[in-house]
Amino acid sequence: MKEVYVIGAGCTPFGDLHTRDAVAMAREASFQALEDAGVDISDIDIFYVGSVRSVTSGSFLGNALGVRNKPVTRVENFCASGMDAVRQAAIAVMSGQARIALAVGVEKLRDATRRGLGFRSFHPVFVFGATPPGLFALAANRYMHTYGIGRETLAKVAVKNHRNGAKNPLAHFRKEITVETVLKAPIVAYPFGVFDCSPVTDGASAVVIASRDVAEGLGKAQVFIRGFGLAVMHTEPMYDPSFKYTGFPVTTEAAGQAYKMADISRPLEEISFAEVHDCFTMTEILNYEDLGFAEKGEGWKLIEEGVTELEGKFPVNPSGGLKSFGHPIGATGARMIFEVYSQLTGRCGERQVKNAHTGLAHNIGGPGTVSTVMILSLRS
Amino acid sequence: MRVPALKGICLYLPAFRIEKGLIASQYMQRARGTRTFRWFDEDECTMAIEASMGVVEGTGVDTIGCVIYAAEKGPYRRKSTASVIADVLGLSTDTLTVDITGSERVSAEGLLVAKRICEATGQEVLVTGGFCEHGEPGSDEDIHGGDAGWAMVVGEGGGIVLEEFWVARANVFVKWERGEDTYFLPDGFTVPFELLPTAAAILNRAIEKSGASKVVIGTSSNRLPSQLKRKLGDRNITLFHHDSTTTGVLGSASLPFAMADAVEKCEPGESIVMLAPGDGALAITAKSSDPDNVKIVRINAENPVVFDLYGLYRKIVTYSFEEADTSPIAYWRDAQRIFQLRGGKCGNCGKVFYPYSDLCPSCGFTPVRETVPLSREGRVFTYTTDHITPSPIGKVTHAVVELEGGGRIFVQMTDSLEEMVEIGAPVKLVIRRIHSGGGIENYGWKARMVK
Ligand SMILES: [Zn+2]
């Protein structure tokens, strides 16, 4: 398989971007990425835009970037949309169809005034009224019941990610919090309080991917895409009578694909750090197990023992994660690649992971419906 | 000659009560006792369904050939409610469904039609109804009304044989409501005097003919029975009516509630007259052959939750699901999957799942051909109490329920103000309005805690 490189990445600040619409955000992130890569918009052969609800079609990039007469595809895969866009761009370059590709993820959520994302009904009555926090809370309650952990353990995930995010100039919430703050916050969907949930955020992030030849020509052949995977299952896992609610098999499947491609068998030793999908505190703990960082039922020990702290043996979400960086749904996956690329190229200042050579990024979308994993490494 | 008789009665009350005095005091009035009120996801149809499922529980629905919905009104002005009920019970599409609406005597009319159908066809008939009354804030209906559902099965081999009937028709505006009225408005024009002589006349005739010693009056009023008693002279008659002290006035549902009390005190060979007032009055005589052979089921008669907040009570009974959107076409397309509690059974992995799909959600096998009936009883596998899901109480508990005998269902919990359920807690499935989007009542399954 052809080696492909991340040669540039860009990201808007995440937060309440009331002065910018989706077009402006996508433009800002994309041109930042192009500048970082040292290429012109006219050099891009193919475009992918990931978004869950802010973009209707590929022509969006006609507006945002002035793209004319080139292939643009809108990618939608729940919370994995942004990383799937990056994955599509990588595949396009690997196939030889494109020499340079741009993937941008964007989401405009803060134009709405209501709390959270509300709920969307896919059917007149089935699963009616279920919300994202509620669906993940089903797993949280089952896990807590099965393995006997309390809300305090979940809270430590939020505390860690806020501590990291406070060091991140682009993060939505740059403020450290305490376990007590998390536990005392109003309940959103039990056991999740406000601080167990990632925020509703605006933002965009973009990644430029190039073939080895192009990357070497630009002197940018530093960080290559070592492996990726994507797995999708039934949209409503709660219809599956064998679904255990103590983990998400799609993550294990997507990670398995990526590890195989990257030739990784001991992730905790072979990977330096990870950006995982902490849409809710519980999700991060489930991710530890599903990604193979811990045995089933023991992921919570990593947070209790400080293993995944920025200074720990295996930092997870040095960016602040969805929890503190923010979660503009379709942008998040691209933002993770932006973070992993920034870490591997040593640009992360206060939140820099020391001696990072390999980073993993992971999304889970829907309540266990879809997952993407991507692994980037420094060229040795 | 077929002998139609009463085989079962089920009486359903919502789980909630409120002190009438609390409502009255908001409007400088006094009242005593409590009234029942429907939960925000209940209506006349769902309460009739609760009672219908209760009356057939254990005996099944295979023998039922007709469903009659008999109530002052139903959820729709122009759509069959009996058909919804028949669908939920899983009755075949050639089952006769009849809706009867009108005055307070409508439950007796339903019983009479049931008797006729049974005589003509030999089929068992399920007669059911629901009653909700709230009126505008501070009205008599707000303070003294009540909500309930009921169901009776009429068929051969029952314990109380339905015999003759007498009717005295009068076009009387005692209680009325036009289609366009938001609330029941009984302003000014009532004719309470017509009723008494009319009812007394046919009641006397029915008693003479049947030799009845018990009279069941289909009313929740205490005044009417005592007035009638005076008109009956020195006959040795025991009068039964529905006492509204704890439930509120139950309209046409009063008759089945009073009838259940009478049946429980009835000796073999005794005769009963049922008298239902409303646009005149209707009397039906019945002879007890084997009163123990009438199954009587009461749901939520004990341990109600008593509200102490008037504002919250009003919010619940007037709640409309504004944010919901749906399509009547999509609802119609899925009606069988929605109503009938049947799961798919995978031909490959053997798992039972709900809702039915021809592709197994567990192993992906297709086509799944077999469906199996699911139990209404189950236990919570996992849950969450979600404060974002719209509801008048500010939260909704969602639960994954493992059903007895296999299968899982993902439902909202209902009938509770409480935050929490527990994993492993026993629950029972019920039909409720999931929401009213798309201009229709989107009925579906929910679950309530088993106390
Ligand atoms: Zn199967």
Side-chain angles (χ1 to χ4, degrees):
Chain A
M1 204 152 350
K2 284 186 183 169
E3 218 167 60
V4 298
Y5 286 78
V6 175
I7 60 166
C11 191
T12 65
F14 277 16
D16 296 339
L17 307 187
H18 293 320
T19 60
R20 276 165 280 189
D21 62 7
V23 159
M25 294 189 302
R27 181 181 298 144
E28 184 180 330
S30 299
F31 281 107
Q32 226 184 74
L34 292 169
E35 195 188 331
D36 183 35
V39 297
D40 189 76
I41 182 88
S42 60
D43 297 326
I44 306 292
D45 300 319
I46 196 164
F47 298 82
Y48 293 91
V49 53
S51 179
V52 173
R53 51 165 86 168
S54 313
V55 170
T56 319
S57 78
S59 63
F60 171 85
L61 290 189
N63 301 39
L65 309 181
V67 178
R68 295 290 182 272
N69 304 318
K70 283 192 179 172
V72 185
T73 301
R74 181 231 171 155
V75 180
E76 200 289 318
N77 229 332
F78 288 140
C79 297
S81 303
M83 204 186 300
D84 197 5
V86 177
R87 176 178 157 276
Q88 298 294 342
I91 292 169
V93 176
M94 279 176 171
S95 74
Q97 173 74 22
R99 295 169 69 242
I100 314 182
L102 181 112
V104 53
V106 60
E107 210 72 67
K108 185 72 196 172
L109 299 174
R110 297 295 292 156
D111 281 359
T113 53
R114 56 177 304 160
R115 295 182 302 163
L117 297 178
F119 73 91
R120 214 182 118 198
S121 50
F122 292 90
H123 185 275
V125 298
F126 299 140
V127 198
F128 186 86
T131 67
L135 291 168
F136 280 93
L138 295 173
N141 280 322
R142 187 69 203 175
Y143 185 96
M144 290 162 79
H145 172 84
T146 307
Y147 298 111
I149 63 164
R151 288 190 65 215
E152 299 74 19
T153 306
L154 306 192
K156 287 174 185 166
V157 173
V159 171
K160 167 181 76 73
N161 290 350
H162 271 266
R163 189 151 51 227
N164 295 348
K167 301 185 175 81
N168 183 348
L170 296 178
H172 191 167
F173 292 118
R174 300 191 59 197
K175 201 178 154 192
E176 295 203 20
I177 54 168
T178 63
V179 167
E180 199 187 12
T181 310
V182 181
L183 296 179
K184 281 189 173 167
I187 294 292
V188 174
Y190 188 88
F192 299 146
V194 169
F195 281 94
D196 288 285
C197 305
S198 56
V200 180
T201 304
D202 295 332
S205 189
V207 178
V208 182
I209 288 170
S211 65
R212 182 171 177 160
D213 291 352
V214 170
E216 283 176 349
L218 291 165
K220 295 261 181 189
Q222 248 186 307
V223 175
F224 70 105
I225 297 182
R226 190 166 153 190
F228 52 76
L230 183 135
V232 171
M233 65 168 273
H234 202 276
T235 308
E236 295 89 6
M238 58 291 250
Y239 290 175
D240 175 0
S242 55
F243 196 74
K244 291 190 173 66
Y245 289 93
T246 46
F248 298 113
V250 277
T251 292
T252 307
E253 180 55 37
Q257 294 172 17
Y259 292 155
K260 190 175 171 202
M261 189 169 163
D263 194 23
I264 285 173
S265 54
R266 292 165 294 118
L268 214 50
E269 279 100 71
E270 295 174 64
I271 297 171
S272 324
F273 70 97
E275 283 287 315
V276 307
H277 200 87
D278 58 324
C279 51
F280 304 99
T281 47
M282 183 75 238
T283 322
E284 178 163 324
I285 293 173
L286 297 178
N287 295 338
Y288 293 166
E289 301 174 7
D290 296 335
L291 290 165
F293 305 159
E295 294 295 317
K296 186 50 61 192
E298 295 188 352
W300 58 274
K301 291 182 185 165
L302 298 189
I303 194 77
E304 287 287 358
E305 291 163 8
V307 175
T308 53
E309 296 283 342
L310 186 55
E311 311 301 330
K313 187 169 148 271
F314 187 77
V316 173
N317 287 329
S319 68
L322 280 61
K323 181 71 208 67
S324 161
F325 205 142
H327 184 27
I329 320 171
T332 286
R335 189 279 295 162
M336 288 177 164
I337 302 302
F338 163 84
E339 175 72 14
V340 173
Y341 179 68
S342 302
Q343 287 283 357
L344 292 177
T345 48
R347 305 169 173 186
C348 288
E350 274 190 278
R351 67 178 200 282
Q352 181 65 46
V353 176
K354 290 184 189 70
N355 306 318
H357 57 81
T358 299
L360 176 146
H362 157 262
N363 288 137
I364 182 146
T369 296
V370 54
S371 176
T372 47
V373 169
M374 190 168 269
I375 299 165
L376 308 187
S377 268
L378 279 177
R379 190 178 179 183
S380 46
Chain B
M1 179 71 184
R2 297 184 176 108
V3 184
L6 197 55
K7 301 184 86 167
I9 306 176
C10 179
L11 308 171
Y12 172 81
L13 293 172
F16 301 91
R17 314 275 188 277
I18 184 168
E19 298 282 348
K20 291 174 192 169
L22 176 65
I23 307 174
S25 67
Q26 317 290 318
Y27 304 97
M28 313 296 230
Q29 297 177 52
R30 284 148 131 21
R32 49 176 205 92
T34 58
R35 64 157 294 166
T36 52
F37 67 91
R38 63 177 183 86
W39 200 231
F40 68 91
D41 53 9
E42 293 187 286
D43 64 9
E44 293 92 343
C45 177
T46 66
M47 292 195 292
I49 290 171
E50 292 260 13
S52 297
M53 292 194 297
V55 81
V56 301
E57 194 160 304
T59 52
V61 295
D62 294 345
T63 51
I64 290 174
C66 172
V67 175
I68 300 173
Y69 175 77
E72 283 90 335
K73 53 182 179 171
Y76 294 104
R77 263 182 237 160
R78 222 192 254 211
K79 188 197 167 324
S80 159
T81 300
S83 296
V84 175
I85 297 166
D87 265 348
V88 172
L89 294 177
L91 297 172
S92 64
T93 48
D94 61 357
T95 306
L96 176 63
T97 52
V98 179
D99 279 47
I100 307 174
T101 57
S103 72
E104 215 168 288
R105 71 177 203 208
V106 68
S107 46
E109 292 169 13
L111 217 47
L112 197 58
V113 175
K115 166 182 146 70
R116 290 294 206 208
I117 290 171
C118 180
E119 273 168 0
T121 67
Q123 285 174 325
E124 258 179 33
V125 182
L126 174 74
V127 200
T128 180
F131 183 81
C132 283
E133 190 134 271
H134 295 279
E136 61 178 7
S139 63
D140 266 9
E141 288 64 36
D142 188 23
I143 301 167
H144 298 286
D147 297 352
W150 59 275
M152 298 198 258
V153 173
V154 173
E156 290 189 280
I160 308 277
V161 178
L162 301 176
E163 295 189 318
E164 291 180 85
F165 74 95
W166 287 264
V167 67
R169 206 182 66 244
N171 191 9
V172 182
F173 289 85
V174 175
K175 280 200 167 191
W176 76 99
E177 188 177 338
R178 297 174 305 169
E180 64 266 32
D181 293 339
T182 311
Y183 294 123
F184 166 61
L185 296 166
D187 283 350
F189 181 63
T190 55
V191 190
F193 314 104
E194 286 278 340
L195 184 61
L196 199 56
T198 323
I202 61 166
L203 182 54
N204 269 314
R205 256 182 287 159
I207 291 170
E208 271 161 32
K209 186 75 191 294
S210 63
S213 51
K214 287 184 165 54
V215 170
V216 175
I217 303 168
T219 182
S220 300
S221 144
N222 293 331
R223 208 179 311 143
L224 184 62
S226 58
Q227 288 170 332
L228 276 171
K229 178 101 182 164
R230 287 199 289 276
K231 298 263 180 189
L232 296 177
D234 52 7
R235 285 202 180 88
N236 186 20
I237 299 282
T238 316
L239 287 182
F240 293 85
H241 77 288
H242 175 66
D243 182 345
S244 64
T245 308
T246 60
T247 64
V249 171
L250 297 185
S252 62
S254 305
L255 181 74
F257 274 76
M259 186 63 184
D261 292 343
V263 169
E264 280 175 337
K265 297 199 169 64
C266 193
E267 300 296 328
E270 226 178 340
S271 281
I272 303 176
V273 177
M274 286 175 263
L275 178 80
D279 281 20
L282 177 62
I284 303 174
T285 55
K287 192 171 178 100
S288 149
S289 56
D290 180 9
D292 292 340
N293 201 17
V294 180
K295 176 168 96 175
I296 295 175
V297 181
R298 288 184 168 85
I299 303 173
N300 288 338
E302 312 278 328
N303 305 319
V305 176
V306 182
F307 261 46
D308 54 6
L309 293 168
Y310 175 64
L312 186 58
Y313 147 74
R314 272 315 292 195
K315 201 170 161 190
I316 284 166
V317 297
T318 57
Y319 183 69
S320 65
F321 305 81
E322 281 163 19
E323 300 179 63
D325 94 274
T326 187
S327 150
I329 299 164
Y331 192 73
W332 165 81
R333 185 168 59 235
D334 259 1
Q336 294 302 308
R337 290 206 301 164
I338 293 168
F339 288 137
Q340 297 195 9
L341 203 50
R342 296 187 73 85
K345 185 168 187 193
C346 178
N348 179 49
C349 70
K351 297 242 162 54
V352 174
F353 55 89
Y354 178 92
Y356 169 75
S357 151
D358 56 11
L359 188 142
C360 171
S362 195
C363 74
F365 173 79
T366 189
V368 174
R369 297 256 186 251
E370 192 184 351
T371 68
V372 290
L374 300 175
S375 169
R376 284 177 63 208
E377 327 271 336
R379 285 178 186 277
V380 174
F381 181 77
T382 189
Y383 75 97
T384 183
T385 304
D386 194 324
H387 294 244
I388 304 179
T389 306
S391 109
I393 58 165
K395 63 203 165 204
V396 169
T397 297
H398 302 261
V400 175
V401 175
E402 292 212 302
L403 299 170
E404 256 174 40
R408 261 194 206 170
I409 189 166
F410 180 59
V411 287
Q412 293 182 17
M413 297 295 295
T414 186
D415 280 4
S416 179
L417 268 177
E418 298 298 313
E419 287 253 343
M420 311 286 279
V421 296
E422 268 177 33
I423 288 176
V427 300
K428 181 152 193 165
L429 300 184
V430 291
I431 284 279
R432 295 297 168 93
R433 296 153 68 214
I434 306 296
H435 62 101
S436 344
I440 59 169
E441 300 298 353
N442 294 259
Y443 298 111
W445 293 95
K446 287 194 178 187
R448 67 158 170 257
M449 297 294 291
V450 176
K451 282 168 200 161

